[in-house]
Amino acid sequence: MNLPTEVRYRPYADWTDQEKAEIKAHVAASPWRANYHIEPKTGLLNDPNGFSYFNGKFQLFYQNWPFGAAHGLKQWVHTESQDLVHFKETGITLQPDHENDSHGAYSGSAYPIDDKLFIFYTGNVRDQDWVRDPRQIGAWMDKQGHIEKFDDILIKRPADVTEHFRDPQIFAYEGQYYAIVGAQSLDKKGFIKLYKALNNDVHKWQEVGNLDFGGTGSEYMIECPNLVFVDGKPVLLYSPQGLDKSELAYDNIYPNTYKVCQTFDTKQPALVDASPIFNLDYGFEAYATQGFNMPDGKAYCVSWIGLPDVNYPTDQYDYQGAMSLVKELTLEDGKFYQNPVPAMTNLRTSQEAFADKAETDNCYELDLTFKANQKTELLLFADQDGDGLKLTIDNQAGKVILDRSQAGVQYATEFGTSRQCSLDQAQEARIFVDKSIVEIFINQGEKVFTSRVFPNAGQTGIKLLSGQASGTYYQLKG
């Protein structure tokens, strides 16, 4: 949604109760509100922020401009969860109310230190000529949810980067606090800077150097760099804007990617023996993925189901964006897997053998198995005319294809209407449908497709078009 700058950066206090009530009414009129995914109460939801474990609960913020489906004066909205499935908004927000975040609380991370949660984020500041000064800043959140911001700037913009310098991620490695920050060089190349906390004091950060992760610099910006350790191996999750397609085939406006590395050399600094770059998700929208490690080493991640610079059908209802399901990350025989957390099974209310269904409430899970060396075509969001979201499991050609050209309201068609990946044999899939969201996990998360679909009235069925598939249909509760 294109709104004037003066609207998008209007102070929160200037919005009237009547204007807020009208926005809420627009949101409530949407036919596409999700049941079990996080969506904004109003306005734009984009990056997941501050994903962490603190005070006996999982903490997850989302970036939000609450007054429409546009990128404006952003806050963080806090949610918490006991099981990584049911997230509840607490009413706590990180507001853009300080001189160091006057034009928005941009993305960042969080880490529990002693009895508080350290929040590390980018403050967006602009001068009267609208020149941006990105500031890496901090805050403490106590166990009662009170947030106290630091007055000092923790990391100022270095001389070798443009105004595009953001998204700090704090993590601990071998007893030392480090942070990585996404950056753009003066010659418009994307890279990552590594910092360490002096004497583990998060008020004092020192640059270690530019992180060597085997990148080519073909991208013009690296957003949301995120380092997690999966079964002991450092895995870099990141969103490289403008990445050359000769380096990685992708269709979305910007890709969401990962590299599996062997070791982390903090002196060089380098992620050693990095794998080639891979798509983290093959669907139509997943971006800004954020992960973290639990004290026991388990790694979890969550993504924004949306993309920058794309208009969505929900814009007319004054909201946009959702959070993906939380995924547990594992490595097996060198392969990287993303799997829904086990507690997702608690959403199941009934089950039946998989078969065609003329009508559902578009709130269900399918667990399916497929025949080897056979082509299977499945229609989700199916209507009586034979239209819907087509999933093709082609185990003859070694491909999985998702085609939304006949599913609901069309948008972003300049980026194509189908997505695919190569996969020798897709033996099974878990498919989660939630009103206007579909997440597909193939071979226990070896390949993942995350997408929005905005079905027309009557697009609620499931139909097997060709081939064979067996398994279970689970009705899910919201």
Side-chain angles (χ1 to χ4, degrees), residues 154-166:
L154 303 185
I155 302 174
K156 296 180 180 179
R157 180 172 71 90
D160 59 344
V161 304
T162 70
E163 65 171 22
H164 296 291
F165 179 59
R166 54 182 174 267

Side-chain angles (χ1 to χ4, degrees), residues 365-380:
E365 174 192 348
L366 296 176
D367 281 17
L368 302 179
T369 57
F370 306 102
K371 296 284 188 182
N373 302 308
Q374 187 180 91
K375 182 178 178 180
T376 302
E377 293 178 309
L378 178 67
L379 206 62
L380 308 171

Side-chain angles (χ1 to χ4, degrees), residues 14-57:
D14 289 358
W15 292 83
T16 67
D17 289 343
Q18 181 179 343
E19 288 173 316
K20 293 175 186 176
E22 288 173 354
I23 292 168
K24 286 182 179 178
H26 291 163
V27 174
S30 170
W32 297 309
R33 293 290 280 176
N35 273 14
Y36 55 89
H37 285 78
I38 297 173
E39 287 186 305
K41 286 185 175 176
T42 61
L44 178 92
L45 173 156
N46 61 312
D47 298 4
N49 291 150
F51 193 24
S52 53
Y53 187 77
F54 168 69
N55 197 24
K57 295 177 183 176

Side-chain angles (χ1 to χ4, degrees), residues 95-106:
Q95 294 273 320
D97 58 5
H98 191 282
E99 64 178 357
N100 288 332
D101 59 17
S102 58
H103 289 70
Y106 277 21

Side-chain angles (χ1 to χ4, degrees), residues 209-250:
N210 297 339
L211 182 65
D212 178 3
F213 59 94
T216 65
S218 75
E219 61 278 287
Y220 61 75
M221 176 62 188
I222 289 179
E223 290 200 309
C224 306
N226 205 252
L227 191 61
V228 288
F229 295 86
V230 183
D231 298 331
K233 303 290 186 187
V235 176
L236 182 68
L237 314 174
Y238 62 113
S239 297
Q241 294 187 329
L243 185 76
D244 194 303
K245 293 189 178 182
S246 65
E247 191 171 346
L248 179 72
Y250 65 94

Side-chain angles (χ1 to χ4, degrees), residues 249 251 279 281-284 368-378 380 389-404 417-431 438-451:
D251 293 309
N279 282 302
D281 195 291
Y282 291 87
F284 289 90
L368 302 179
T369 57
F370 306 102
K371 296 284 188 182
N373 302 308
Q374 187 180 91
K375 182 178 178 180
T376 302
E377 293 178 309
L378 178 67
L380 308 171
L389 179 72
K390 184 193 283 188
L391 174 64
T392 302
I393 306 290
D394 192 342
N395 284 333
Q396 295 171 329
K399 286 183 182 177
V400 178
I401 305 167
L402 191 65
D403 183 344
R404 72 175 179 196
T417 56
S418 69
R419 296 290 184 268
Q420 68 177 48
C421 73
S422 298
L423 186 61
D424 184 32
Q425 294 290 306
Q427 297 158 323
E428 55 85 30
R430 284 183 78 185
I431 301 170
V438 60
E439 297 193 55
I440 302 170
F441 299 86
I442 298 173
N443 291 356
Q444 265 120 49
E446 182 183 351
K447 304 287 185 183
V448 181
F449 287 75
T450 303
S451 301

Side-chain angles (χ1 to χ4, degrees), residues 400-415:
V400 178
I401 305 167
L402 191 65
D403 183 344
R404 72 175 179 196
S405 62
Q406 305 302 313
V409 179
Q410 297 295 294
Y411 65 97
T413 54
E414 64 269 32
F415 302 106

